[in-house]
Amino acid sequence: MAENEVKLTKLARCAGCGAKVGAGTLAKLLEGIRVHEDPNLLVGFDRSDDASVYKLSDELALVQTVDFFPPIADDPYLFGQIAAANALSDVYAMGGEPRLCLNICAVPKDMPPQAVHDLLRGGYDKVYEAGALITGGHSILDDEPKYGLAVTGFVHPDKMLTNSGARPGDVLLFTKPLGLGVLTTAAKADLAPRPAMERAYELMTTLNKAARDVMVQYRVHACTDVTGFGLLGHALEMAQGGGVELFIDAGAVDFIPEAAELAKMGILPEGMYRNRAFAEASVDPGTVELWRQDLLYDPQTSGGLLMAVDPADAEALYEALIPAVPSARRIGTVREYRGRKRVFLQ
């Protein structure tokens, strides 16, 4: 093996956002922590949202987030791109524009310098594609490599989007296919077809910038990016935050075909089971096949945006998203909460 060659995924027990602490566990860890009041803090950690938002003036609010994880690709440059795209996504989900980023990097002491350089270069290139800047960061030695970003962006306080604004009647739109967690898990065991992994890497390095730029032109009431908690985990948070229930047409959701085949074989990431344990008590699965349910719980890395849009704007936004995103789909609707379950599948 050449000096600059390293199989990063072999150095990590979990891949990408599949390494996230489960939503249920995270909620328990945060229990009892005092939340300080500040009238300018529009969104804090107590809201289970994608980023914090702090009002600086009547015209400007600060959006801040941080995200990092272990390798999800063997190629360091590719891993850097994916991790950066994933971190930037939280700002896009709030309707904001990223501007400043800080590297967060952990590397084994024997990791080849060229591999570390390529990893950082991947992050830099993706950040510059987003129109933002990397201005510094922090690195430590660790047995397992990890990379990500702390991101600062801006949004108009009145145009900020959260995951808790969905209203009855809204239409649910989604912008990327599912199955990334299944494919990256299969890849660690050399079971994923190469064309499928090339598609997965293309999806994970695709910024949600175009989706955001289209979205903010329409009456979108709520938005979240679908990452480690899977579509159903993030949908549940949207339903709980808005005091509503969501109806999801599983047949309308786009699944990567090879991921569907692997899911039918039972090749599933550990994070899928964590997501199911967190959300399933609030989900009515109807008669949806188990493999489809599994993919709806599948943890995504740098996944798409889930939007709850005013029904009067839904068709126009859908048509505008088609040429702008990897996979524009209308996947359901928002309804008034009737008690008990929050998410219903068909």
Side-chain angles (χ1 to χ4, degrees):
M1 182 179 289
E3 184 185 11
N4 65 341
E5 291 180 349
V6 58
K7 281 196 171 291
L8 292 181
T9 57
K10 303 301 182 185
L11 302 178
R13 291 187 299 112
C14 297
C17 285
K20 286 182 72 169
V21 175
T25 302
L26 184 59
K28 291 179 181 178
L29 293 174
L30 294 173
E31 251 178 26
I33 295 180
R34 182 182 172 191
V35 179
H36 290 272
E37 297 295 328
D38 186 323
N40 291 317
L41 182 62
L42 305 181
V43 181
F45 77 84
D46 56 314
R47 294 272 295 275
S48 298
D49 221 314
D50 297 302
S52 65
V53 182
Y54 191 87
K55 183 178 177 180
L56 299 176
S57 71
D58 290 341
E59 303 294 323
L60 189 66
L62 194 70
V63 185
Q64 288 191 310
T65 186
V66 60
D67 210 314
F68 66 98
F69 48 62
I72 196 163
D74 286 324
D75 178 74
Y77 179 75
L78 180 58
F79 171 41
Q81 287 186 300
I82 294 170
N86 183 76
L88 292 161
S89 184
D90 285 339
V91 175
Y92 293 132
M94 307 298 290
E97 296 181 272
R99 284 291 177 260
L100 301 174
C101 303
L102 298 171
N103 280 320
I104 299 170
C105 189
V107 295
K109 62 182 179 181
D110 57 351
M111 187 169 169
Q114 184 61 47
V116 180
H117 173 82
D118 290 343
L119 187 159
L120 294 172
R121 182 169 57 89
Y124 272 74
D125 284 353
K126 193 53 61 173
V127 166
Y128 294 152
E129 181 185 333
L133 298 170
I134 290 181
T135 58
H138 187 67
S139 59
I140 63 169
L141 294 175
D142 193 348
D143 292 339
E144 185 176 273
K146 302 173 186 70
Y147 179 65
L149 300 171
V151 185
T152 297
F154 299 101
V155 69
H156 192 290
D158 297 335
K159 298 179 180 178
M160 170 193 74
L161 294 172
T162 70
N163 67 359
S164 58
R167 305 174 187 176
D170 283 351
V171 176
L172 298 175
L173 303 181
F174 190 48
T175 64
K176 287 186 182 181
L178 296 179
L180 297 171
V182 168
L183 283 172
T184 53
T185 296
K188 286 176 70 71
D190 298 320
L191 295 174
R194 184 176 181 84
M197 289 312 301
E198 290 175 352
R199 174 62 172 155
Y201 293 143
E202 178 186 8
L203 289 168
M204 289 188 285
T205 56
T206 298
L207 293 172
N208 280 324
K209 181 180 188 302
R212 177 264 173 203
D213 290 348
V214 172
M215 172 179 71
V216 296
Q217 300 176 52
Y218 298 87
R219 285 174 291 178
V220 174
H221 297 145
C223 182
T224 188
D225 65 330
V226 173
T227 54
F229 299 154
L231 178 63
L232 288 181
H234 290 284
L236 174 58
E237 289 186 335
M238 181 178 283
Q240 291 172 327
V244 295
E245 64 184 42
L246 305 188
F247 167 82
I248 294 177
D249 180 357
V253 178
D254 190 9
F255 300 115
I256 301 171
E258 294 87 347
E261 292 305 313
L262 290 164
K264 292 174 184 177
M265 295 166 57
I267 299 174
L268 302 165
E270 181 182 348
M272 189 284 298
Y273 296 99
R274 289 198 300 268
N275 292 339
R276 180 184 283 276
F278 162 66
E280 67 177 345
S282 298
V283 175
D284 183 336
T287 58
V288 172
E289 303 100 312
L290 182 60
W291 69 267
R292 288 184 190 271
Q293 294 181 45
D294 289 341
L295 285 173
L296 292 171
Y297 286 112
D298 185 40
Q300 306 301 285
T301 298
S302 190
L305 297 186
L306 175 63
M307 310 168 188
V309 56
D310 189 292
D313 280 5
E315 182 62 24
L317 175 53
Y318 171 68
E319 293 293 337
L321 284 171
I322 290 174
V325 303
S327 175
R329 292 291 181 99
R330 287 175 287 201
I331 66 167
T333 55
V334 180
R335 308 187 298 204
E336 289 188 8
Y337 181 51
R338 298 169 295 175
R340 302 189 66 183
K341 304 292 185 179
R342 287 282 185 182
V343 181
F344 294 79
L345 303 182
Q346 175 179 306

